[in-house]
């Protein structure tokens, strides 16, 4: 059973409410991202998730931080789709190839040319996903020169990336070897 068998994929398989949500998301984004297809059986949930995603992407986190968080999350959840979708974006956003390679290998203490802020955010996401918590020293390092709203954005973005990895893994069901 493929992801398309588990959840409606084409517009022709959606009921009227699902189709309306699909079209609203498509109008806002230009296309309906694959993870959203798993939520369309609950159109209100799919649209709420879209709103959460839009807010998270419009915050103060830099694009390199956002894309690196997606890679850390893809590795933690072994989500091949998420890795494929964000590796080139991370490189284009300024995450160095050596940093991408370190994330792929799970070497979060050897982040090469990453800026200090990027390295702190990568370590924060890695700890959160690996241990389901963040030790005080990692939290404090990420919070240096940041206000509580910025930290909320960091935590929220990690939650968004994890949610997307879960939605994608339910569709693909074949964990990737990202190490």
């Amino acid at each position: 059973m493929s992801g398309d068998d588990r959840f409606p994929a084409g517009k022709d398989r959606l009921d009227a409410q699902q189709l309306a949500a699909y079209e609203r998301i498509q109008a806002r984004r230009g296309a309906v991202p694959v993870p959203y297809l798993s939520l369309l059986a609950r159109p209100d949930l799919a649209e709420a998730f879209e709103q959460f995603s839009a807010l998270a992407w419009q915050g103060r986190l830099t694009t390199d931080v956002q894309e690196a968080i997606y890679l850390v999350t893809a590795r933690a959840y072994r989500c091949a789709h998420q890795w494929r979708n964000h590796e080139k974006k991370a490189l284009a956003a300024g995450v160095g190839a050596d940093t991408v390679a370190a994330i792929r290998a799970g070497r979060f203490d050897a982040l090469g040319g990453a800026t200090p802020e990027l390295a702190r955010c990568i370590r924060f996401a890695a700890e959160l996903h690996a241990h389901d918590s963040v030790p005080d020293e990692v939290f404090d390092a990420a919070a240096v020169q940041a206000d509580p709203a910025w930290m909320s954005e960091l935590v929220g973005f990690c939650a968004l990336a994890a949610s997307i990895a879960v939605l994608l893994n339910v569709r693909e069901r074949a964990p990737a070897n990202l190490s």
Side-chain angles (χ1 to χ4, degrees):
M1 181 177 284
S2 72
D4 290 346
D5 294 332
R6 288 183 170 193
F7 299 100
K11 288 175 141 184
D12 59 323
R13 296 178 62 191
L14 303 175
D15 68 25
Q17 289 180 325
Q18 294 166 342
L19 182 59
Y22 182 101
E23 289 175 345
R24 283 190 293 271
I25 293 168
Q26 184 177 37
R28 287 191 294 268
R29 295 187 61 113
V32 178
V34 172
Y36 292 49
L37 299 175
S38 301
L39 299 175
L40 277 172
R42 280 280 313 271
D44 56 337
L45 185 59
E47 290 193 89
F49 191 77
E50 161 60 15
Q51 291 170 356
F52 172 56
S53 176
L55 287 172
W57 277 99
Q58 294 169 7
R60 292 178 291 161
L61 298 179
T62 57
T63 306
D64 62 333
V65 167
Q66 293 170 329
E67 293 298 340
I69 287 171
Y70 267 95
L71 295 183
V72 170
T73 306
R75 185 188 189 288
Y77 284 84
R78 298 183 332 164
C79 183
H81 183 109
Q82 192 172 45
W83 186 273
R84 284 189 311 270
N85 195 41
H86 287 277
E87 183 176 23
K88 287 180 184 172
K89 292 177 184 180
L91 292 166
V95 179
D98 54 342
T99 302
V100 170
I103 293 170
R104 178 183 279 279
R107 295 188 333 265
F108 301 112
D109 57 342
L111 294 171
T115 65
E117 178 183 346
L118 179 59
R120 290 190 299 265
C121 292
I122 288 170
R123 289 186 183 108
F124 181 95
E127 284 290 331
L128 180 59
H129 294 315
H131 304 291
D132 303 323
S133 65
V134 179
D136 287 342
E137 63 273 8
V138 174
F139 183 93
D140 293 344
V144 69
Q145 300 177 340
D147 59 52
W150 187 91
M151 286 303 295
S152 290
E153 289 182 23
L154 177 61
V155 172
F157 206 84
C158 288
L160 173 66
S163 296
I164 289 173
V166 167
L167 292 168
L168 289 167
N169 281 349
V170 167
R171 292 184 63 79
E172 290 194 3
R173 297 175 322 279
N177 182 5
L178 294 175
S179 56

